[in-house]
């Protein structure tokens, strides 16, 4: 986003760096995350309107701890130091940081004691999230203390002349009640932000960039049915109509109606969609396979083969597009990554096809922003609001051997479950059904039945790394149980999974 005002989030290892970057964007300012060891010269090359230094697990006074360059703090560019970021600001400029006798963790009350552009419209009473053992015991020359808590006499400080501000607490989390106002104040009162970032202009800029990069050439994209590749396709087809070729491999493990939804969503778009029904081919390969890892490997390899066969039929295409998003970029090394995602549908293809460039228009976006772009581009909700879905699909939600009958059974049951939970006001983060490999005795009318046990899974999570099982109202579970056992032949018993992650994973296989 070359022509947009930019905030740099300098990462010193804190767990909230993504959250800080997202908050800034939600407030209408573009942000990027750079590693704490980025040189001042490189940081300045982005022409940032402000810098936010994040928290981190180390102690600033230990020899191997990362510190920012003093020159950066002297550059006149506004800096907001958060937690470790604030301690570093103090330490680098001659203040003192020490380990406190009492650690402060959790929500704490605090008081603002001097007028500060950072605390405008915040009031004097603070409710903030603290998470620290070290604290500043002496501020550097030229600074004033602007807030304190019971256990932390220097909870915020500033040097207006140098445009340096620090808070010991975490304004980026919702546990800090006026945190968003504090970040807004930093952006608009201190950095003079214009608020020139939103999804509409992201789309405009992305379209211009795609046109410039691609010219009159063709672009190839693997559509997986997920949000990222779908939004990527919609964006590229809008930028360069009729130059995008999408290959959609239906491995037969999609949920009910899903393959149709993907095809329909793109039926009226200016692109060429090649939908390959490879379900029989995949089922054949999986005959007799019960081990989860083998299932995944076989599906992954087969996917590459089907995709590549189709791609090679197309002749030379110059560009490969990918739905890489910002978290993929951050995870693979702080914005330096430019490699091809180890995405299952492009393995080995880049060399064979000799692509001369990668098109990744979502590279700068977080997931919620990708969904927004999708909505702006008119994609249906069934796609933009889609839950995460594993690449191997229902194949890893059928325990044991996969057969066509089991797939049909699971598809129906899963559909009913998702339909009912979809009616809840507050929906879990992810919910799906699993067909176990256990059969139990049941009774229907006067008949004895012998059918499968179906497990229902629903979790609440922010990052999918840890999760709690969702507390679904009993009446809803009862309705789902009745519907599934009545409507899906072959299922006699329903159980609800009450395990968190850890110790379980979200998926069963
Ligand atoms: P687990 O089961 O590891 O899942 O707790 C965490 C999240 O990742 C999804 N998941 C996958 N996504 N390919 C994917 O693209 C996969 O092979 C895969 N396996 C799990 C899962 O649905 C959950 O959201």
């Amino acid at each position: 986003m070359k022509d947009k005002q930019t905030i740099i989030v300098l990462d010193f290892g804190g767990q909230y760096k993504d959250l800080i970057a997202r908050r800034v964007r939600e407030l209408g300012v573009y942000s990027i995350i750079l590693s704490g060891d980025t040189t001042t010269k490189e940081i300045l090359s982005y022409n940032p309107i402000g810098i936010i230094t994040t928290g981190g697990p180390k102690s600033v006074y230990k020899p191997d701890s990362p510190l920012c360059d003093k020159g950066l703090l002297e550059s006149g560019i506004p800096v907001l130091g958060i937690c470790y970021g604030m301690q570093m600001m103090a330490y680098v400029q001659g203040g003192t940081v020490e380990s406190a006798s009492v650690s402060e963790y959790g929500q704490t009350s605090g008081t603002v004691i001097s007028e500060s552009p950072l605390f405008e419209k915040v009031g004097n009473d603070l409710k903030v999230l603290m998470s620290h053992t070290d604290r500043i015991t002496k501020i550097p020359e030229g600074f004033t203390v602007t807030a304190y808590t019971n256990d932390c006499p220097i909870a915020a400080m500033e040097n207006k002349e140098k445009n340096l501000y620090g808070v010991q607490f975490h304004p980026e989390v919702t546990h800090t009640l006026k945190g968003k106002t504090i970040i807004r104040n930093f952006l608009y009162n201190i950095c003079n932000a214009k608020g020139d970032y939103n999804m509409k202009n992201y789309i405009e800029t992305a379209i211009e960039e795609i046109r410039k990069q691609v010219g009159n050439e063709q672009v190839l994209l693997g559509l997986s049915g997920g949000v990222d590749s779908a939004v990527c396709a919609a964006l590229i087809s809008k930028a360069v109509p009729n130059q995008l070729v999408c290959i959609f491999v239906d491995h037969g493990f999609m949920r009910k109606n899903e393959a149709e939804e993907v095809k329909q969503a793109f039926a009226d778009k200016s692109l060429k969609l090649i939908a390959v029904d490879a379900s029989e081919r995949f089922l054949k390969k999986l005959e007799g396979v019960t081990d989860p890892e083998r299932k995944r490997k076989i599906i992954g390899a087969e996917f590459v083969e089907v995709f590549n066969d189709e791609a090679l039929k197309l002749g030379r295409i110059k560009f490969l597009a990918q739905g890489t998003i910002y978290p993929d970029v951050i995870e693979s090394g702080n914005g330096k990554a430019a490699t091809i995602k180890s995405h299952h549908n492009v393995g080995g293809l880049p060399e064979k096809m000799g692509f001369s460039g990668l098109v990744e228009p979502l590279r700068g976006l977080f997931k919620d922003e990708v969904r927004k772009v999708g909505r702006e581009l008119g994609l249906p909700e069934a796609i933009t609001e889609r839950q995460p879905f594993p690449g191997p699909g229902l194949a890893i939600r059928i325990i044991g051997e996969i057969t066509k009958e089991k797939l049909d059974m699971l598809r129906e049951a899963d559909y009913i479950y998702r339909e009912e939970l979809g009616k809840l006001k507050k929906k879990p983060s992810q919910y799906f059904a699993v067909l176990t490999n256990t059969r139990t005795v049941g009774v229907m009318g006067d008949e004895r039945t012998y059918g499968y046990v179906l497990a229902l899974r629903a979790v609440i999570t922010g990052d999918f790394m840890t999760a709690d099982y969702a507390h679904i109202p009993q009446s809803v579970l009862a309705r789902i149980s009745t519907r599934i056992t009545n409507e899906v032949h072959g299922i006699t018993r329903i159980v609800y999974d009450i395990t968190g992650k850890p110790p379980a994973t979200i998926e069963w296989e």
Side-chain angles (χ1 to χ4, degrees), residues 467-507:
D468 295 318
Y469 76 86
H471 293 246
I472 309 292
Q474 293 291 331
S475 55
V476 177
L477 286 176
R479 188 166 58 242
I480 291 164
S481 168
T482 308
R483 276 198 64 191
I484 293 177
T485 45
N486 282 341
E487 294 174 36
V488 187
H489 185 71
I491 293 176
T492 41
R493 206 174 284 265
I494 317 272
V495 296
Y496 185 65
D497 183 346
I498 52 166
T499 340
K501 171 183 180 180
T505 50
I506 295 174
E507 301 288 346

Side-chain angles (χ1 to χ4, degrees), residues 100-120:
S101 52
V102 189
S103 297
E104 236 188 338
Y105 290 105
Q107 205 186 40
T108 312
S109 299
T111 309
V112 174
I113 49 170
S114 88
E115 210 157 280
S116 161
L118 196 64
F119 293 123
E120 202 182 288

Side-chain angles (χ1 to χ4, degrees), residues 400-413:
E401 189 182 358
I402 300 154
T403 63
K404 173 95 177 40
E405 291 68 36
K406 283 184 180 177
L407 269 170
D408 289 342
M409 217 186 290
L410 177 58
R411 243 192 288 267
E412 283 307 315

Side-chain angles (χ1 to χ4, degrees), residues 148-166:
Y148 69 88
T149 68
N150 270 352
D151 290 318
C152 185
I154 304 171
M157 64 173 195
E158 68 187 28
N159 180 334
K160 276 198 198 114
E161 246 159 63
K162 287 190 175 171
N163 260 331
L164 301 180
Y165 296 80

Side-chain angles (χ1 to χ4, degrees), residues 137-292:
T137 48
K138 188 176 134 264
I139 52 173
E141 231 181 272
F143 277 75
T144 50
V145 178
T146 51
Y148 69 88
T149 68
N150 270 352
D151 290 318
C152 185
I154 304 171
M157 64 173 195
E158 68 187 28
N159 180 334
K160 276 198 198 114
E161 246 159 63
K162 287 190 175 171
N163 260 331
L164 301 180
Y165 296 80
V167 287
Q168 180 56 63
F169 55 86
H170 289 273
E172 68 276 22
V173 300
T174 48
H175 283 84
T176 294
L177 295 192
K178 294 271 177 68
K180 205 161 173 179
T181 309
I182 294 171
I183 296 178
R184 182 186 290 118
N185 286 341
F186 177 66
L187 300 175
Y188 289 88
N189 292 351
I190 297 164
C191 301
N192 296 319
K194 293 186 288 199
D196 61 358
Y197 176 73
N198 60 42
M199 284 308 110
K200 267 208 178 78
N201 62 38
Y202 185 94
I203 292 172
E204 281 163 23
T205 311
I207 284 177
E208 266 171 45
E209 284 172 1
I210 294 167
R211 285 185 182 148
K212 216 186 302 159
Q213 183 186 6
V214 168
N216 295 321
E217 297 292 337
Q218 282 200 305
V219 185
L220 178 69
L221 170 73
L223 265 187
S224 69
V227 184
D228 303 344
S229 62
V231 174
C232 192
L235 193 54
I236 296 173
S237 70
K238 186 161 181 185
V240 285
N242 304 317
Q243 288 170 238
L244 177 67
V245 183
C246 293
I247 299 178
F248 169 55
V249 177
D250 180 3
H251 51 22
F253 308 130
M254 308 289 265
R255 289 164 290 195
K256 184 169 166 175
N257 298 341
E258 206 162 31
E260 268 321 300
E261 277 165 14
V262 173
K263 283 185 243 169
Q264 259 171 28
F266 293 100
D268 64 343
K269 298 255 182 296
S270 313
L271 53 80
K272 181 174 174 187
L273 175 62
I274 301 171
V276 194
D277 178 358
S279 48
E280 290 199 4
R281 187 167 159 176
F282 277 85
L283 260 186
K284 194 138 195 56
K285 284 266 168 183
L286 287 167
E287 256 173 28
V289 179
T290 57
D291 178 69

